[in-house]
Amino acid sequence: MPWETESKALLKSRKITSFPHSACKMATEGLHENETLASLKNEAESLKGKLEEERAKLHDVELHQVAERVEALGQFVMKTRRTLKGHGNKVLCMDWCKDKRRIVSSSQDGKVIVWDSFTTNKEHAVTMPCTWVMACAYAPSGCAIACGGLDNKCSVYPLTFDKNENMAAKKKSVAMHTNYLSACSFTNSDMQILTASGDGTCALWDVESGQLLQSFHGHGADVLCLDLAPSETGNTFVSGGCDKKAMVWDMRSGQCIQSFETHDSDINSVRYYPSGDAFASGSDDATCRLYDLRADREVAIYSKESIIFGASSVDFSLSGRLLFAGYNDYTINVWDVLKGSRVSILFGHENRVSTLRVSPDGTAFCSGSWDHTLRIWA
Amino acid sequence: MTIGGPRGGGQPRLQMPCLGKMERMIVSMQDPDMGIKMRNQRLLITVIPHAMTGNDIVEWLIQKYGISEEESLHLGNLIVRHGYIYPLRDPRSLVLRADESPYRFQTPYFWTSTKWPATELDYAIYLAKKNIRKQGELIEHEKDNYNLLHKRINHTWDFVVMQAREQLRAAKQRRKGDRIVIDCQEQAYWLVNRPPPGAPNVLEQGPERRNCHTTRVQLNMDYYKREIEYCRKAMARTRVKSSICLEGYLKFNEQYVPHDPIMSGCLPSNPWITDDTTYWAMNAPTVTTPTKLRVERWGFNFSELLMDPLGRTQLLEFLKKEFSAENLSFWEACEELRYGEQSHINEIVDSIYQQFLAPGATRWVNIDSKTMERTLEGIKTPHRYVMDDAQMHIYMLMKKDSYPRFLKSELYRNLLAEAVIPPETKKRVFPFMRKQRHSSPSPALLLPAGDTEAKGEEKSRSPAAVPEEES
């Protein structure tokens, strides 16, 4: 026992004449703590197992079985309709504006660009003081954008067409994390931002004051992605992380409502099913999965033996019938959400697909890649 | 380790799960029964055993995974780019050609996950060997690297040169066939680990994850206590049978597929495909005559009606007729509170109280007494969620009571009758002439007339407002 030898050594060296009570107590506490930590961990593991058993009890049918009644999808043709060139380095993130045609994109070299992707014109550009801008978001009003990355912050830039104004001048520093910013999203207004970080937490911020409104603790490692629930009484969001967990949070209380742990590797992307009753995830384990919130379990896995690279980004078509997933093998796979089969594979990008979002009216989706370009597919 | 370079000290398979999977693929490709049929390949005058053609690889992948030739070629290319298969002819370019070009499997000694990360010392020895063999005639980037390394690890340079000479001597003892193979293997390894400028670096990962120094997460007793508490709560939760949940997807699918432009197309046409923005114009947030699909969608659920600005306007009209318009206004005011600026909370709460809750208020809302009591108590210490209960009550009232009546009303029936079905865009006679793509005003442009500041503020105050578009 380590503390025994240490105390003997102390006695021997005559540094102390008798064994101090506090040292003894601390030493025994240390031992006690180790035992309790291990037993707590074991208890947690065994409870998780029991929880899975409970969840399995009500699982009386598989999704693809139920979906046998649904008509199979016909020929599927989607092509690149626009290619947006202008980033000088890997594109890491993008988001659509509510006007259905504008987008904001961010890249490794710190550049954040706002495009009218219909005309492919660049409308705004700002260079962040950091590299690897892994998160960006468009404000609901269309008047501002948010972004961040290795600077551990999330900053909001009002969009201005005033030629005399430098966009960077009106920059507002909102969120402060202790590790990289991996994702950000405005809530229903321009005045609140939700962030996810490599420091293992998510947080809700007031844009104007930069005040932290709520923080969300529970992930065991970096949080890589988040998505806000579309539900009518919306006050929840889902996050995914390097601990292979997807967690659903109550925005008001900061509590984790539900947690799912079935992936074998980091979860890079989470996205709600349009009804709000489920969400999909994309992971480094090369699978995408569907989790139902009412059944409280995973209900589908979208995978293929020939797909061995991680899925970096997922999103649903408007009806939720199709799941578009961008992968690290440069492709985009289109999945039939109900039947579980792959509908199509889209080639075009020349490096990893890092980000993918369907447009607000569902007419197209945009993919961003490490090949420096963004593509609009329809 | 620098960002973007291979993560040092970690297990490569953890960081790149695809490597493990690729290796399993490679192993099954070499299966004596089900794998690729290998044979001797002739390389000029030398015969190389255990080789295959590019075609063999592509065919095998097609058969094994039931994929198309395009996908098979793409996958095969990735395997080659990661150095698990290398070309014998033209070994400087890691590319898979679907023809008779000869390829071989990389020895596991040189697998990306085995020798991870590639060391500077090994690279120096490799370049020194090349330098000696080619008598100083290295390719540009290799020359640069050689010089750089010479400077950086100058203290061990004698060892480097000695090793290089030793390896070259040992190589001379081998048969020509073996020599060629070993050279190709080594070259492939270095193409993956030290790609020439311009070539993609397949080992590039992006910012390091699980960089635990600055994480807020500690897998300590508190963490596990929380996990245990979460599990206990979760066990007690009510769950819905899968069969019921999954039926929900089918119903949702049936309802929404006709409205999904990617699944069912859209009329008159998809702007991205035909460059015609009429679809957007006809579905703008506020138009005089909405489309039939849009009006139908308002009938799916209350949320669809409420979230569409045009739908909400119609709802307001209907509620006015029923003398319950204050419900919608109250709900909107509560949304403003929930998503508003932190510093305005007291102000907004007070405004809501004065307008909707105070006794004798002009637009008094009818909430049940219990909720009213709780709310009035709550606003003594205002916060952004203080109206939640009241808001929910009014929302449910509109949803369960007003909404069904709205759907049966003359107002809605007229909307349905008058709604337009856009005609399909006629196929252009000269399809190769691209239609001009017009830009649209950015939502970020401040409105020209009136008080721009106020308008700007108004814009950010109303969370559900969507920027106006040119009709």
Side-chain angles (χ1 to χ4, degrees):
Chain A
M1 299 208 187
W3 60 266
E4 219 175 58
T5 38
E6 201 178 283
S7 51
K8 277 192 182 152
L10 275 169
L11 276 169
K12 227 181 181 177
S13 68
R14 309 263 181 102
K15 287 212 165 102
I16 44 168
T17 47
S18 66
F19 205 63
H21 179 71
S22 52
C24 180
K25 189 159 172 274
M26 267 172 15
T28 41
E29 255 173 23
L31 194 69
H32 187 62
E33 218 175 82
N34 278 336
E35 279 185 330
T36 330
L37 182 66
S39 63
L40 278 177
K41 191 172 175 193
N42 286 337
E43 198 184 333
E45 290 301 310
S46 99
L47 272 176
K48 272 193 214 170
K50 291 209 180 95
L51 180 59
E52 280 317 302
E53 277 173 35
E54 277 303 308
R55 282 170 161 168
K57 281 185 186 159
L58 289 172
H59 190 56
D60 50 349
V61 71
E62 295 290 334
L63 179 54
H64 64 85
Q65 290 172 291
V66 171
E68 267 160 30
R69 296 170 4 221
V70 182
E71 237 179 76
L73 293 171
Q75 252 296 355
F76 186 85
V77 176
M78 268 188 110
K79 294 190 206 160
T80 302
R81 305 290 175 174
R82 302 284 191 278
T83 306
L84 304 176
K85 295 187 186 163
H87 277 291
N89 215 314
K90 307 179 178 64
V91 176
L92 303 175
C93 188
M94 62 81 44
D95 190 20
W96 287 90
C97 173
K98 282 215 163 83
D99 78 347
K100 308 151 193 176
R101 47 192 284 173
R102 281 172 173 79
I103 62 168
V104 60
S105 60
S106 62
S107 72
Q108 180 191 355
D109 60 4
K111 277 234 163 48
V112 180
I113 302 178
V114 174
W115 318 68
D116 174 355
S117 56
F118 186 73
T119 56
T120 72
N121 291 339
K122 300 184 211 17
E123 293 191 341
H124 307 267
V126 71
T127 308
M128 293 276 285
C130 69
T131 58
W132 290 92
V133 186
M134 295 176 271
C136 65
Y138 223 119
S141 70
C143 298
I145 54 153
C147 51
L150 285 185
D151 58 356
N152 301 357
K153 300 194 206 138
C154 184
S155 311
V156 174
Y157 291 86
L159 295 176
T160 173
F161 279 96
D162 189 343
K163 295 219 167 76
N164 298 323
E165 239 179 52
N166 176 13
M167 245 178 86
K170 287 250 168 94
K171 164 180 167 177
K172 232 182 279 181
S173 210
V174 177
M176 298 269 267
H177 280 278
T178 55
N179 210 326
Y180 62 86
L181 188 82
S182 55
C184 65
S185 174
F186 285 89
T187 61
N188 273 15
S189 79
D190 286 14
M191 285 162 283
Q192 290 180 320
I193 284 196
L194 190 60
T195 58
S197 165
D199 69 10
T201 69
C202 297
L204 182 67
W205 311 82
D206 177 61
V207 172
E208 194 55 49
S209 62
Q211 186 187 345
L212 172 67
L213 299 175
Q214 184 62 262
S215 68
F216 306 89
H217 296 255
H219 273 287
D222 313 26
V223 187
L224 299 176
C225 51
L226 59 81
D227 191 33
L228 282 150
S231 79
E232 43 189 349
T233 49
N235 231 6
T236 61
F237 73 94
V238 62
S239 64
C242 288
D243 56 355
K244 312 174 196 170
K245 282 200 248 177
M247 301 178 84
V248 181
W249 307 87
D250 175 68
M251 271 169 72
R252 184 175 161 172
S253 65
Q255 292 301 309
C256 167
I257 310 175
Q258 276 171 290
S259 174
F260 304 90
E261 201 173 340
T262 61
H263 271 292
D264 298 319
S265 191
D266 301 357
I267 298 180
N268 298 312
S269 174
V270 284
R271 195 73 66 209
Y272 272 93
Y273 183 75
S275 73
D277 291 329
F279 67 90
S281 59
S283 160
D284 272 347
D285 68 7
T287 70
C288 298
R289 296 175 197 234
L290 188 67
Y291 297 92
D292 188 291
L293 296 171
R294 294 179 302 164
D296 190 33
R297 58 173 292 121
E298 172 194 292
V299 291
I301 305 183
Y302 307 101
S303 68
K304 218 169 144 53
E305 260 193 301
S306 56
I307 302 175
I308 57 177
F309 285 79
S312 63
S313 192
V314 300
D315 202 357
F316 288 98
S317 72
L318 190 140
S319 64
R321 179 65 190 269
L322 300 170
L323 181 70
F324 300 104
Y327 290 76
N328 291 339
D329 66 1
Y330 323 167
T331 67
I332 295 163
N333 286 287
V334 186
W335 300 92
D336 181 331
V337 171
L338 303 180
K339 293 195 181 279
S341 53
R342 187 188 60 188
V343 171
S344 181
I345 178 168
L346 302 172
F347 298 96
H349 278 298
E350 291 164 12
N351 206 324
R352 287 197 195 188
V353 177
S354 52
T355 179
L356 188 155
R357 299 291 299 258
V358 171
S359 75
D361 64 354
T363 48
F365 72 85
C366 177
S367 60
S369 162
W370 280 19
D371 69 3
H372 309 188
T373 70
L374 293 124
R375 285 172 180 244
I376 310 282
W377 305 77
Chain B
M1 278 289 142
T2 52
I3 286 158
R7 295 180 193 137
Q11 277 306 304
R13 278 216 191 75
L14 258 179
Q15 287 143 11
M16 285 181 79
C18 56
L19 290 184
K21 296 193 176 118
M22 226 182 306
E23 281 156 21
R24 279 196 289 280
M25 225 179 232
I26 289 292
V27 167
S28 62
M29 274 177 153
Q30 294 174 76
D31 182 85
D33 299 315
M34 304 300 287
I36 300 180
K37 296 286 171 279
M38 298 197 271
R39 41 203 135 111
N40 295 345
Q41 286 286 334
R42 180 149 263 145
L43 201 66
L44 292 178
I45 50 164
T46 328
V47 171
I48 314 283
H50 302 301
M52 60 218 159
T53 66
N55 242 345
D56 290 338
I57 298 169
V58 173
E59 279 306 316
W60 187 89
L61 288 170
I62 291 174
Q63 289 307 311
K64 168 87 176 172
Y65 297 113
I67 53 182
S68 68
E69 187 174 337
E70 191 180 12
E71 192 174 351
S72 167
L73 189 58
H74 181 88
L75 178 58
N77 246 307
L78 282 167
I79 296 174
V80 172
R81 276 207 229 170
H82 280 79
Y84 285 96
I85 290 178
Y86 58 87
L88 287 166
R89 208 177 294 149
D90 193 17
R92 228 178 271 155
S93 110
L94 290 179
V95 164
L96 178 67
R97 275 179 255 275
D99 54 19
E100 298 303 300
S101 311
Y103 291 84
R104 264 181 127 255
F105 290 104
Q106 178 64 287
T107 170
Y109 176 76
F110 275 132
W111 279 0
T112 308
S113 57
T114 317
K115 279 199 128 202
W116 177 305
T119 64
E120 278 195 331
L121 192 62
D122 285 339
Y123 191 43
I125 295 170
Y126 170 69
L127 288 177
K129 276 198 293 183
K130 254 196 171 175
N131 197 32
I132 294 169
R133 266 215 321 244
K134 304 224 166 155
Q135 289 148 336
E137 286 299 307
L138 287 177
I139 330 168
E140 174 118 18
H141 82 98
E142 285 184 336
K143 200 178 259 175
D144 291 337
N145 286 337
Y146 183 81
N147 293 332
L148 249 151
L149 282 167
H150 188 93
K151 263 195 226 138
R152 203 152 53 207
I153 56 172
N154 196 291
H155 49 284
T156 54
W157 205 254
D158 287 340
F159 176 73
V160 167
V161 174
M162 185 188 79
Q163 278 293 304
R165 289 219 171 94
E166 191 53 48
Q167 287 183 18
L168 283 172
R169 197 179 346 184
K172 282 207 179 91
Q173 312 273 352
R174 297 196 192 97
R175 275 181 19 228
K176 181 142 190 229
D178 290 341
R179 242 185 296 146
I180 293 176
V181 158
I182 291 171
D183 278 348
C184 285
Q185 286 174 344
E186 210 180 5
Q187 177 149 67
Y189 175 79
W190 289 111
L191 278 171
V192 171
N193 285 277
R194 292 286 186 274
N201 180 1
V202 292
L203 297 183
E204 194 167 10
Q205 282 302 294
E208 213 178 309
R209 293 178 182 177
R210 292 180 208 84
N211 184 349
C212 295
H213 328 293
T214 44
T215 202
R216 281 205 173 113
V217 178
Q218 293 228 349
L219 299 181
N220 55 14
M221 304 220 312
D222 282 328
Y223 177 81
Y224 289 113
K225 279 189 186 148
R226 261 184 282 139
E227 292 252 295
I228 290 167
E229 196 185 316
Y230 164 77
C231 281
R232 293 217 174 101
K233 276 205 193 123
M235 298 257 267
R237 176 208 317 231
T238 33
R239 279 175 199 84
V240 183
K241 256 199 299 190
S242 285
S243 47
I244 297 174
C245 300
L246 302 180
E247 277 298 322
Y249 296 136
L250 261 58
K251 181 163 176 273
F252 190 86
N253 180 66
E254 204 182 309
Q255 238 183 358
Y256 280 88
V257 161
H259 297 253
D260 185 337
I262 293 174
M263 290 284 296
S264 313
C266 54
L267 297 171
S269 66
N270 188 321
W272 300 103
I273 301 177
T274 59
D275 290 348
D276 176 21
T277 58
T278 313
Y279 178 75
W280 285 332
M282 296 190 80
N283 286 287
T286 46
V287 283
T288 335
T289 326
T291 63
K292 199 159 213 119
L293 277 177
R294 188 173 178 181
V295 179
E296 273 172 12
R297 213 163 142 177
W298 297 343
F300 286 177
N301 56 62
F302 183 53
S303 181
E304 287 286 351
L305 177 66
L306 192 61
M307 292 311 162
D308 182 338
L310 195 61
R312 195 187 290 197
T313 320
Q314 296 302 325
L315 175 65
L316 187 65
E317 283 310 304
F318 175 73
L319 291 177
K320 277 184 186 156
K321 292 200 176 117
E322 295 214 324
F323 305 104
S324 56
E326 67 277 356
N327 287 345
L328 183 56
S329 307
F330 175 70
W331 182 86
E332 282 181 330
C334 292
E335 284 288 279
E336 209 184 296
L337 170 65
R338 271 219 291 179
Y339 299 108
E341 246 176 72
Q342 188 70 9
S343 57
H344 290 177
I345 286 182
N346 288 356
E347 202 183 303
I348 300 176
V349 170
D350 189 53
S351 157
I352 293 177
Y353 174 74
Q354 297 299 336
Q355 278 188 72
F356 301 100
L357 301 172
T362 45
R363 305 159 94 192
W364 193 79
V365 281
N366 196 356
I367 312 174
D368 69 283
S369 52
K370 233 187 180 174
T371 313
M372 180 65 96
E373 211 179 291
R374 249 202 319 257
T375 309
L376 292 178
E377 186 60 41
I379 60 180
K380 290 183 185 159
T381 43
H383 59 91
R384 76 175 58 237
Y385 302 113
V386 77
M387 295 291 172
D388 272 11
D389 285 346
Q391 186 184 10
M392 177 63 83
H393 180 93
I394 293 296
Y395 181 85
M396 283 307 179
L397 200 67
M398 289 193 288
K399 176 176 172 175
K400 299 262 154 77
D401 199 34
S402 316
Y403 177 60
R405 280 203 300 276
F406 170 81
L407 292 181
K408 296 198 191 103
S409 71
E410 212 181 299
L411 176 70
Y412 183 63
R413 270 195 264 236
N414 283 342
L415 284 166
L416 268 174
E418 281 158 27
V420 294
I421 301 179
E424 192 175 347
T425 306
K426 284 209 188 84
K427 296 260 155 78
R428 269 176 285 131
V429 182
F430 300 103
F432 50 84
M433 267 170 65
R434 207 182 67 183
K435 197 171 169 159
Q436 241 213 326
R437 294 171 185 166
H438 297 285
S439 51
S440 71
S442 166
L445 277 169
L446 295 171
L447 297 161
D451 196 346
T452 46
E453 192 122 305
K455 277 267 156 90
E457 230 179 278
E458 214 178 83
K459 251 197 172 145
S460 54
R461 274 271 191 86
S462 41
V466 172
E468 302 279 323
E469 270 186 40
E470 231 174 71
S471 286

